[in-house]
Amino acid sequence: MTIRVLLVDDQTLLRSAFRVLVDSEPDMEVVGEAADGARAVELARETKADVVLMDIRMPGTDGLAATRMISADPLLADVHVVMLTTFEVDEYVVQSLRAGASGFLGKGAEPEELLSAIRIAAAGDALLSPVATKGLIASFLAQGGSSGEGPGSAEYSARLTALTVREREVLVLVAGGHSNDEIAERLVVSPLTVKTHVNRAMAKLGARDRAQLVVTAYESGLVRPRVE
């Protein structure tokens, strides 16, 4: 299956470079380009893109607002947003995950990293390594982003009641940065069983991917941030 990619960045030269790279892959194709978030949302609907490479900072409607709109649209439930940023622990990165992005990638990433990120996001898996994703979220939340007591935490906590004991246990381990294989070893079950629990937790919590599970775990207070 060909992965349909939408490029969103206000820099024409950067979009052109991404297009050449993506179109060179036999399993990918660029289906559209946009220079602002509003147009990105329109094209996401028109092109039925699988993955959107979205710059965070753009004039007009920025990437964060566009990601919220894509995530809120039921018709775009299968669209995965990859935020392009400077790979720093900052408010925008974590807000993008809360808004529904599948993860983030530094603009200085190597070509193979970008292509791998597109494939991973399209599959609904964690965009970066679970440890990296967890670490960035935990660091920001520990600095005051949330402590499980924010305005959205009650909603997240209520969702957790739908999970079984085992699904909660798996969620904690996912938020702890563990892969399916590592979780399987800890719980003495098969990786396939873990994947089933993860998928069920995602469905019950309305999460698009593992990155969203991590956000939910922290926002609900199920897992407390800890900075080494």
Side-chain angles (χ1 to χ4, degrees):
M1 183 184 74
T2 301
I3 301 173
R4 301 167 63 81
V5 182
L6 174 61
L7 306 176
V8 185
D9 196 293
D10 61 322
Q11 298 182 44
T12 304
L13 185 60
L14 192 58
R15 292 202 312 272
S16 297
F18 285 156
R19 173 179 280 276
V20 171
L21 179 63
V22 172
D23 281 341
S24 69
E25 295 299 295
D27 61 335
M28 300 181 190
E29 68 171 326
V30 174
V31 294
E33 295 184 28
D36 66 85
R39 181 56 178 156
V41 177
E42 293 176 356
L43 286 177
R45 296 188 181 114
E46 293 173 9
T47 65
K48 302 184 186 303
D50 299 305
V51 175
V52 180
L53 291 183
M54 180 90 73
D55 187 20
I56 288 184
R57 297 177 179 86
M58 293 180 290
T61 302
D62 64 15
L64 190 59
T67 299
R68 288 198 186 98
M69 287 187 277
I70 290 174
S71 299
D73 190 336
L75 297 179
L76 301 178
D78 294 328
V79 177
H80 299 280
V81 177
V82 176
M83 302 299 293
L84 297 175
T85 181
T86 52
F87 199 68
E88 297 174 349
V89 180
D90 61 23
E91 182 176 357
Y92 292 104
V93 169
V94 180
Q95 284 187 357
S96 69
L97 291 176
R98 287 172 174 160
S102 296
F104 39 88
L105 190 70
K107 284 190 175 182
E110 294 294 326
E112 285 306 315
E113 290 182 278
L114 178 65
L115 295 174
S116 177
I118 292 172
R119 293 186 177 98
I120 291 171
D125 294 326
L127 175 57
L128 300 177
S129 69
V131 172
T133 302
K134 181 268 298 186
L136 286 165
I137 294 173
S139 295
F140 174 71
L141 294 181
Q143 295 169 16
S146 173
S147 61
E149 299 174 355
S153 61
E155 177 186 351
Y156 281 115
S157 297
R159 292 181 187 177
L160 292 182
T161 60
L163 301 182
T164 64
V165 173
R166 178 62 89 182
E167 287 165 355
R168 279 179 176 243
E169 190 173 10
V170 169
L171 175 56
V172 169
L173 292 172
V174 168
H178 299 287
S179 67
N180 282 359
D181 287 344
E182 292 170 337
I183 295 173
E185 185 176 349
R186 281 174 173 248
L187 301 182
V188 195
V189 296
S190 71
L192 181 59
T193 296
V194 173
K195 183 177 181 180
T196 298
H197 287 310
V198 170
N199 288 341
R200 287 176 178 170
M202 285 170 55
K204 292 179 179 180
L205 297 174
R208 295 182 175 218
D209 48 40
R210 292 174 76 98
Q212 297 304 305
L213 286 181
V214 175
V215 172
T216 299
Y218 280 103
E219 290 284 16
S220 65
L222 179 65
V223 177
R224 296 292 180 174
R226 182 180 65 184
V227 177
E228 300 297 338

